């Protein structure tokens, strides 16, 4: 297994069924110990043109293959993934410093996602619509509406889930009859390319799934504005998403972007379980999750007790390597850690109370907790993508809602309370894609709708939603004459 994609530690791109190597490479180093993990290809624009031509051609053939056969290939891919959990999980640990248990869970979840997608795809159904419902029309017209592929999907995935967030674009696109060009994150490409080899091994026809690697500063704009791309499915930062949305023009897009998810804690919340959910939600994978809890907004009456409980749990978080299965592992690179440091320094300078942390060795950032964070601090609004959590104290529920909604982001929020009326009052007012009541913010289960509003994205994902988003209705209207014998 995996003998085709890699030659002498050099990872190729899958192009029209072959693993191809470019002239220039990019070195990929481990965020944990700086060791060289391998090289990936730095593709040229000419090579990209070739990939997109082939993907366009292959899509037409793929769309003709019966849906149940397309679904079978996805099922075979899922089995291959399950057979390779250890290999894939080790690569994730090395390449993106995700701890062992989270890496394994990313891989297992990916196999489950693909199986569920294959089955959901088989339930894609059309409808017929009569014309006479609309004034001025009668029964001699009927629309047969089916769902058809959109064409070639450009899938762009981020570093923090290079396997899962690649598969969650590839599988729904494929079952819907599209071809896919995957642009994986540079740091994370080795993991994603292994996934792609398993799709290929499962029997995908050539050209249906292809990969493009290279520096986004060199090829990113070219790729997203290419005339052969029919849909862009992007997960990543709001800055990059916004840039793509501006330059790509009239092409459909699904975007899952940044977040600043709030955990709103009311006076009657169970503070033990709330603090447990908050710490797990905020610090797992060192806070490098779009859905991480990135601020706590707590009512004054219980703020002292809650912050003490959170502090105790944060002090007990393990810090170390992915292989040791530490909760806090090195951040993806030094500049990510520099950014976290900037937000911390700003909060300290403006008078926030440091409860734990603010300790760092290069890109290994210790879990950091602040109380008394106020609205004039960057930490109240910006997404650190690191292990630092601000606590913001408020007097009223409406103030909590106001601060939650003041954010540019709108991915998810949590509300912790025993009072379902209060929970719904708040949930109805929050400007986010999803509200979790008495749970941390998180994406799964993967068949639920997952979406961000405002700067957190556009379009909806989640298995059925993703398939629908990557197919379109096609209406064929039959116009028929009344039986001549009745005339
Ligand atoms: P990123 O820097 O925006 O990169 C995401 C992907 O976009 C990478 O594959 C990157 O390639 C590529 N890219 C960058 N510039 C591009 C361009 N001009 N054209 C085409 N592609 C381009 O994000 P990240 O650092 O990997 O991930 C962290 C961010 O993603 C956070 O903000 C997080 O909240 C967000 N995120 C959101 C969700 C969600 O579902 N809402 C999920 C995960 C992550 P290179 O690696 O080659 O630069
Ligand atoms: O980083 C963004 C992911 O979509 C979050 O997924 O909530 O399962 O960690 P997760």
């Amino acid at each position: 297994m995996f003998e085709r994609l890699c030659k002498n530690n050099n990872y190729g791109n899958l192009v029209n069924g072959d693993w191809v190597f470019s002239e220039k490479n990019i070195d990929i180093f481990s965020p944990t110990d700086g060791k060289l993990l391998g090289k990936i290809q730095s593709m040229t624009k000419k090579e990209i043109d070739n990939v997109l031509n082939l993907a366009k051609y292959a899509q037409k053939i793929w769309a003709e293959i019966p849906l149940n056969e397309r679904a079978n290939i996805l099922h075979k891919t899922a089995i291959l993934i399950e057979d390779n959990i250890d290999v894939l999980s080790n690569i994730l640990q090395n390449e993106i410093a995700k701890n062992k248990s989270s890496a394994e869970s990313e891989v297992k979840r990916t196999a489950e996602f693909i199986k569920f997608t294959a089955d959901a795809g088989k339930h894609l159904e059309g409808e017929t619509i009569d014309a006479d419902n609309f004034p001025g029309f009668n029964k001699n017209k009927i629309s047969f509406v089916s769902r058809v592929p959109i064409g070639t999907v450009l899938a762009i995935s981020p570093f923090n889930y290079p396997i899962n967030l690649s598969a969650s674009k590839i599988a729904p696109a494929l079952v819907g009859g599209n071809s896919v060009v995957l642009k994986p994150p540079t740091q994370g490409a080795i993991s994603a390319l292994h996934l792609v080899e398993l799709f290929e091994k499962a029997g995908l026809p050539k050209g249906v799934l292809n990969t493009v690697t290279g520096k986004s500063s060199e090829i990113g704009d070219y790729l997203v504005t290419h005339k052969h791309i029919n849909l862009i499915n992007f997960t990543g930062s709001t800055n990059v998403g916004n840039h793509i949305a501006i330059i790509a023009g009239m092409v459909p897009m699904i975007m899952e972007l940044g977040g600043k998810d709030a955990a709103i804690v009311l006076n009657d919340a169970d503070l033990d379980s709330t603090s447990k959910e908050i710490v797990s939600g905020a610090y797992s994978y060192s806070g490098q999750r779009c859905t991480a809890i990135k601020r706590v907004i707590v009512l004054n009456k219980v703020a002292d007790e809650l912050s003490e409980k959170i502090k105790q749990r944060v002090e007990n978080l393990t810090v170390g390597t992915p292989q040791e299965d530490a909760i806090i592992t090195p951040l993806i690179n030094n500049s990510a850690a520099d950014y976290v440091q900037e937000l911390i320094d700003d909060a300290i300078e403006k008078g926030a109370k440091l409860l734990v942390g603010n300790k760092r060795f290069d890109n290994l950032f210790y879990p950091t907790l602040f109380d008394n964070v106020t609205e004039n601090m960057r930490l109240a609004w910006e997404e650190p993508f690191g292990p630092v959590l601000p606590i913001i104290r408020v007097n009223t529920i409406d103030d909590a809602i106001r601060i939650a909604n003041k954010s540019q982001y709108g991915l998810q929020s949590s509300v912790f309370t025993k009072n379902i009326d209060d929970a719904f009052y708040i949930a109805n007012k929050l400007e986010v894609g999803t509200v979790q009541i008495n749970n941390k913010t998180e994406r799964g289960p993967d068949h639920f709708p997952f979406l961000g509003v405002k700067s957190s994205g556009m379009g909806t994902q989640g298995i059925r939603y993703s398939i629908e988003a990557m197919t379109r209705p096609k209406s064929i209207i039959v116009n028929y004459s009344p039986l001549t014998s009745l005339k």
Side-chain angles (χ1 to χ4, degrees):
M1 199 65 74
F2 303 118
E3 61 286 345
R4 276 178 21 99
L5 88 157
C6 180
K7 289 202 171 80
N8 302 322
N9 230 17
N10 194 8
Y11 293 87
N13 274 305
L14 181 64
V15 179
N16 207 31
D18 287 322
W19 288 89
V20 302
F21 296 82
S22 304
E23 261 182 32
K24 284 201 312 185
N25 308 121
I26 302 170
D27 289 338
I28 303 296
F29 298 97
S30 156
T32 307
D33 57 13
K35 223 174 79 187
L36 180 69
L37 298 175
K39 292 169 187 296
I40 60 164
Q41 311 309 303
S42 180
M43 269 189 161
T44 62
K45 291 176 182 167
K46 201 168 157 205
E47 286 170 319
I48 290 174
D49 285 340
N50 183 41
V51 173
L52 287 164
N53 280 329
L54 293 163
K56 187 180 158 123
Y57 178 77
Q59 192 271 324
K60 309 270 181 248
I61 298 165
W62 179 239
E64 293 299 319
I65 292 179
L67 202 160
N68 69 81
E69 288 178 29
R70 300 203 295 261
N72 283 345
I73 295 178
L74 295 194
H75 273 295
K76 282 185 195 149
T77 309
I79 292 169
L80 289 172
I81 292 172
E82 282 168 340
D83 290 346
N84 286 281
I85 290 172
D86 288 345
V87 182
L88 296 170
S89 147
N90 276 327
I91 299 166
L92 285 171
Q93 291 171 54
N94 289 328
E95 193 180 19
I96 59 155
K98 183 168 277 194
N99 76 17
K100 190 169 183 296
S101 44
S102 303
E104 282 172 7
S105 121
E106 175 172 346
V107 178
K108 288 180 191 161
R109 177 182 183 178
T110 302
E112 294 301 341
F113 182 99
I114 293 173
K115 286 188 252 178
F116 202 113
T117 303
D119 293 338
K122 286 194 275 189
H123 289 95
L124 258 194
E125 279 166 357
E127 60 182 347
T128 58
I129 309 177
D130 296 321
D132 61 331
N133 309 30
F134 199 87
F137 290 87
N138 56 31
K139 280 207 180 293
N140 60 3
K141 191 186 277 285
I142 188 165
S143 169
F144 289 79
V145 186
S146 56
R147 294 206 75 85
V148 297
I150 289 190
T152 298
V153 170
L154 172 62
I156 306 180
S157 47
F159 81 81
N160 64 341
Y161 276 96
I163 291 184
N164 185 269
L165 286 174
S166 297
S168 66
K169 298 170 177 54
I170 295 170
L174 291 181
V175 85
N178 303 285
S179 62
V180 177
V181 173
L182 172 72
K183 150 75 185 82
T186 296
Q187 188 78 37
I190 296 178
S191 308
L193 291 168
H194 278 77
L195 167 80
V196 168
E197 179 160 342
L198 296 181
F199 272 103
E200 183 211 359
K201 282 242 157 62
L204 269 188
K206 63 181 189 176
V208 172
L209 172 61
N210 308 276
T211 61
V212 165
T213 55
K215 287 205 177 104
S216 50
S217 54
E218 290 172 13
I219 58 163
D221 289 4
Y222 188 72
L223 204 46
V224 299
T225 52
H226 201 286
K227 63 176 187 226
H228 287 343
I229 295 297
N230 304 112
L231 182 143
I232 299 173
N233 190 340
F234 172 84
T235 301
S237 62
T238 293
N239 277 350
V240 174
N242 206 27
H243 170 74
I244 292 174
I246 290 167
I247 65 169
M250 219 169 77
V251 57
M253 285 178 218
I254 306 162
M255 296 223 167
E256 299 292 349
L257 308 175
K260 187 71 181 173
D261 293 2
I264 298 176
V265 185
L266 304 194
N267 290 336
D268 64 347
D270 174 335
L271 296 184
D272 268 331
S273 61
T274 300
S275 61
K276 190 171 171 214
E277 286 292 312
I278 287 175
V279 172
S280 147
Y283 294 94
S284 58
Y285 189 37
S286 306
Q288 296 171 115
R289 295 167 49 244
C290 58
T291 49
I293 290 180
K294 294 183 180 128
R295 50 197 172 132
V296 174
I297 306 178
V298 57
L299 289 179
N300 259 321
K301 195 170 162 205
V302 289
D304 285 346
E305 202 185 334
L306 180 75
S307 76
E308 182 53 34
K309 284 183 189 294
I310 295 177
K311 177 171 173 261
Q312 281 172 17
R313 289 185 189 277
V314 174
E315 283 168 340
N316 285 323
L317 290 172
T318 49
V319 179
T321 64
Q323 290 74 13
E324 290 163 344
D325 210 22
I327 301 293
I328 303 294
T329 50
L331 293 181
I332 198 69
N333 53 39
N334 259 315
S335 62
D338 289 345
Y339 180 60
V340 173
Q341 188 69 63
E342 258 184 50
L343 298 185
I344 288 178
D345 292 347
D346 176 76
I348 291 175
E349 196 189 304
K350 290 176 180 157
K353 187 171 164 195
L354 178 69
L355 297 182
V356 191
N358 190 18
K359 192 166 120 188
R360 169 186 178 188
F361 297 102
D362 299 323
N363 59 335
L364 179 61
F365 223 110
Y366 279 63
T368 300
L369 177 67
F370 279 100
D371 200 349
N372 301 105
V373 168
T374 49
E375 289 181 58
N376 60 336
M377 299 173 192
R378 290 174 61 189
L379 195 52
W381 309 115
E382 294 181 35
E383 181 190 39
F385 231 58
V388 52
L389 180 66
I391 299 176
I392 301 170
R393 295 172 175 235
V394 292
N395 285 320
T396 65
I397 286 180
D398 286 327
D399 216 19
I401 297 168
R402 179 188 63 78
I403 292 178
N405 285 343
K406 198 174 155 187
S407 168
Q408 67 159 312
Y409 296 108
L411 192 56
Q412 295 201 350
S413 276
S414 292
V415 182
F416 292 94
T417 174
K418 294 194 189 91
N419 184 326
I420 197 71
D421 297 332
D422 286 350
F424 266 86
Y425 173 79
I426 297 171
N428 284 328
K429 289 196 174 318
L430 290 172
E431 296 160 3
V432 292
T434 304
V435 179
Q436 303 265 359
I437 296 173
N438 293 320
N439 201 86
K440 64 190 171 206
T441 45
E442 61 186 351
R443 175 168 43 122
D446 291 340
H447 63 307
F448 283 8
F450 181 59
L451 67 155
V453 299
K454 303 200 282 189
S455 296
S456 289
M458 57 184 172
T460 304
Q461 306 213 65
I463 291 173
R464 174 169 61 82
Y465 303 92
S466 296
I467 300 172
E468 283 174 4
M470 290 191 274
T471 51
R472 67 173 172 85
K474 170 91 179 258
S475 173
I476 298 178
I477 302 167
V478 178
N479 296 277
Y480 53 98
S481 310
L483 276 178
T484 40
S485 59
L486 292 181
K487 278 186 180 169

